[in-house]
């Protein structure tokens, strides 16, 4: 089972347990066990299973510009 929300998302071969959100998110061959959040207007298709893809990520010019924090 997989979930696709957005025009053209998850159209061709969306992998099992995948989530695609946004226009053209996971459009073609989204790997299994992935999450794709797309707000670019162009296709974002993942290449590896068990991964998270987010595009775009805002580039902030300051001390923390390359910091991504995941809290579990």
């Amino acid at each position: 089972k997989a979930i696709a929300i957005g025009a053209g998302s998850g159209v061709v071969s969306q992998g099992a347990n995948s989530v695609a959100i946004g226009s053209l998110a996971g459009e073609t061959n989204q790997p299994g066990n992935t999450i794709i959040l797309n707000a670019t207007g162009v296709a974002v298709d993942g290449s590896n299973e068990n991964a998270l893809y987010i595009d775009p990520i805002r580039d902030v010019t300051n001390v923390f510009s390359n910091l991504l924090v995941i809290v579990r």
Side-chain angles (χ1 to χ4, degrees):
K1 308 244 181 205
I3 296 173
I5 301 171
S9 65
V11 175
V12 177
S13 189
Q14 187 178 19
N17 305 311
S18 297
V19 177
I21 299 176
S23 180
L24 302 174
E27 178 191 33
T28 306
N29 299 322
Q30 180 180 359
N33 304 311
T34 59
I35 299 170
I36 298 177
L37 302 176
N38 182 18
T40 65
V42 296
V44 173
D45 301 312
S47 56
N48 298 308
E49 291 187 345
N50 306 306
L52 170 66
Y53 298 89
I54 303 172
D55 198 13
I57 294 180
R58 183 176 169 212
D59 184 13
V60 178
T61 306
N62 65 29
V63 178
F64 303 107
S65 64
N66 294 318
L67 180 64
L68 176 63
V69 177
I70 299 174
V71 179
R72 294 180 185 208

